[in-house]
Amino acid sequence: MARADDAVEVRARGWRTLAALHGHIETALEKVLHTEHDLSVVEFTVLDVLSRQNGWYMRMQQVARATALSSSATTRLVNRLEDRRLLTRHICPDDRRGIYTELTPMGHALLERARPDHDRVLKQALDTAADQPELAPLLDALHSLEQPPASN
Amino acid sequence: MARADDAVEVRARGWRTLAALHGHIETALEKVLHTEHDLSVVEFTVLDVLSRQNGWYMRMQQVARATALSSSATTRLVNRLEDRRLLTRHICPDDRRGIYTELTPMGHALLERARPDHDRVLKQALDTAADQPELAPLLDALHSLEQPPASN
DNA sequence: AAAGATTGACTGTTCAATCTTT
DNA sequence: AAAGATTGAACAGTCAATCTTT
């Protein structure tokens, strides 16, 4: 009975499961990135995202969206990375309100040093998650995701 | 070429997608729960988890695991909720190191007041996520999750 | 000595207010 | 006036150290 509430319950359970898996992975990544490379997960994410911009630039707002952070948190995050000489800021020439960010060679180097640890621990976290059978549908979905729209 | 790296790339893309979806939902829930009920998402989660314990009790460590929080953050979280008279602490009688927590009637009442907003915004967030076709496999997986092992 | 919980010091995040450019 | 980015104040999180109980 109470069949009408089923969809609500299913969504809530799905969300709890998603949040649990996310927390499990994030905790594992946070630990290795912080101890080995003095990077938080969101800092690694920014380096990774910026490394993918070839020939174009992201503004602060776009970085904020890519990380699900507020714009003030993004300012401070970019400050930290700039202070460590991992990226540089440029004023956007055709709209001087906008700020472009770009990885330095040091930023690229740190990212590529951190990436193997990131990838290894990500695999570990997914493997241990697979021990909980109720996560199986979610884990299956993760590796059946579409390629992002190819740029060439 | 570089076929051996494919699995690594697939996992990394899956993780980015999962994190993006998680951030999208969490931001939406955070906003409504905070403005309407002065609750953060993790505070709501604790109330929800505690409301499911009927006849037994969770210790602090279990609350910490359920929320992917450190034990010190859990202590402070439970402090906040206790200060608001939403739950009570009991010393575990057979092992006086452990602390049990239990919702008060006020805690139950707030939870049930907040739940409709939570459920409505969760549905909204999932619906707008469905506009991004690359999230489809993940969203499908969410509502095909198994029932947790029934207790009766 | 180890397990469970808490406290202190520090870092990072948010909201609201501000400053600059359009 | 609105958009983009930054700053100040308050709050929430982590790690390391501590206290109590087993």
Side-chain angles (χ1 to χ4, degrees):
Chain A
M1 17 356 238
R3 191 54 42 100
D5 290 343
D6 282 2
V8 173
E9 257 311 306
V10 167
R11 274 194 296 270
R13 192 164 54 240
W15 162 240
R16 283 197 302 272
T17 308
L18 175 72
L21 178 59
H22 177 273
H24 172 67
I25 297 172
E26 178 151 74
T27 300
L29 290 177
E30 198 77 55
K31 186 171 174 181
V32 69
L33 290 176
H34 188 28
T35 64
E36 301 294 321
H37 305 283
D38 196 23
L39 282 175
S40 67
V41 170
V42 50
E43 286 166 348
F44 178 92
T45 301
V46 169
L47 297 184
D48 183 53
V49 162
L50 292 185
S51 77
R52 293 170 201 278
Q53 46 177 12
N54 256 332
W56 63 285
Y57 297 97
M58 292 178 86
R59 296 157 93 112
M60 299 296 284
Q61 299 279 3
Q62 298 175 278
V63 177
R65 262 197 307 278
T67 54
L69 243 47
S70 69
S71 50
S72 51
T74 304
T75 292
R76 287 163 171 139
L77 171 51
V78 168
N79 282 347
R80 293 198 299 274
L81 298 174
E82 190 179 30
D83 289 347
R84 290 171 65 181
R85 315 285 174 205
L86 299 175
L87 56 78
T88 55
R89 275 182 166 91
H90 310 284
I91 292 179
C92 168
D94 43 318
D95 179 353
R96 302 170 47 78
R97 295 172 303 181
I99 305 281
Y100 287 155
T101 50
E102 186 178 20
L103 285 196
T104 61
M106 266 188 66
H108 274 105
L110 175 56
L111 175 61
E112 295 315 324
R113 253 195 335 274
R115 200 187 291 283
D117 288 320
H118 174 276
D119 292 345
R120 177 176 46 81
V121 170
L122 176 56
K123 172 164 171 40
Q124 278 176 15
L126 291 170
D127 286 348
T128 71
D131 292 343
Q132 296 174 262
E134 68 270 27
L135 298 181
L138 211 45
L139 295 170
D140 288 346
L142 281 186
H143 54 252
S144 70
L145 289 173
E146 299 269 326
Q147 205 82 20
S151 49
N152 59 339
Chain B
M1 0 35 210
R3 189 57 39 101
D5 291 343
D6 281 3
V8 173
E9 257 310 308
V10 168
R11 274 193 295 270
R13 192 164 55 241
W15 162 238
R16 284 196 302 272
T17 308
L18 175 72
L21 178 59
H22 177 271
H24 172 67
I25 297 172
E26 177 151 74
T27 301
L29 289 178
E30 198 77 55
K31 186 171 173 179
V32 69
L33 289 176
H34 187 31
T35 64
E36 301 294 322
H37 305 284
D38 195 24
L39 281 175
S40 68
V41 171
V42 49
E43 285 165 350
F44 179 92
T45 301
V46 169
L47 297 186
D48 183 53
V49 163
L50 292 186
S51 77
R52 292 170 202 278
Q53 45 179 13
N54 256 330
W56 62 285
Y57 298 96
M58 292 177 86
R59 296 155 93 111
M60 300 296 283
Q61 300 278 3
Q62 298 174 279
V63 177
R65 262 197 306 277
T67 54
L69 242 47
S70 68
S71 49
S72 49
T74 304
T75 291
R76 286 164 172 139
L77 171 51
V78 167
N79 281 347
R80 293 198 299 274
L81 298 174
E82 190 180 29
D83 289 347
R84 290 171 66 182
R85 315 284 175 205
L86 300 174
L87 57 77
T88 54
R89 275 182 166 92
H90 308 284
I91 293 180
C92 168
D94 43 318
D95 178 354
R96 302 170 47 80
R97 295 172 304 182
I99 304 282
Y100 287 156
T101 50
E102 186 177 21
L103 285 196
T104 62
M106 269 188 65
H108 273 105
L110 176 57
L111 174 62
E112 295 315 325
R113 260 198 325 279
R115 201 189 289 283
D117 288 319
H118 173 276
D119 293 345
R120 175 176 46 81
V121 171
L122 176 56
K123 173 165 170 43
Q124 278 176 13
L126 290 170
D127 286 348
T128 72
D131 293 343
Q132 296 174 263
E134 68 270 26
L135 298 182
L138 213 43
L139 294 170
D140 288 345
L142 281 186
H143 54 253
S144 70
L145 289 174
E146 299 269 326
Q147 204 84 19
S151 48
N152 59 340

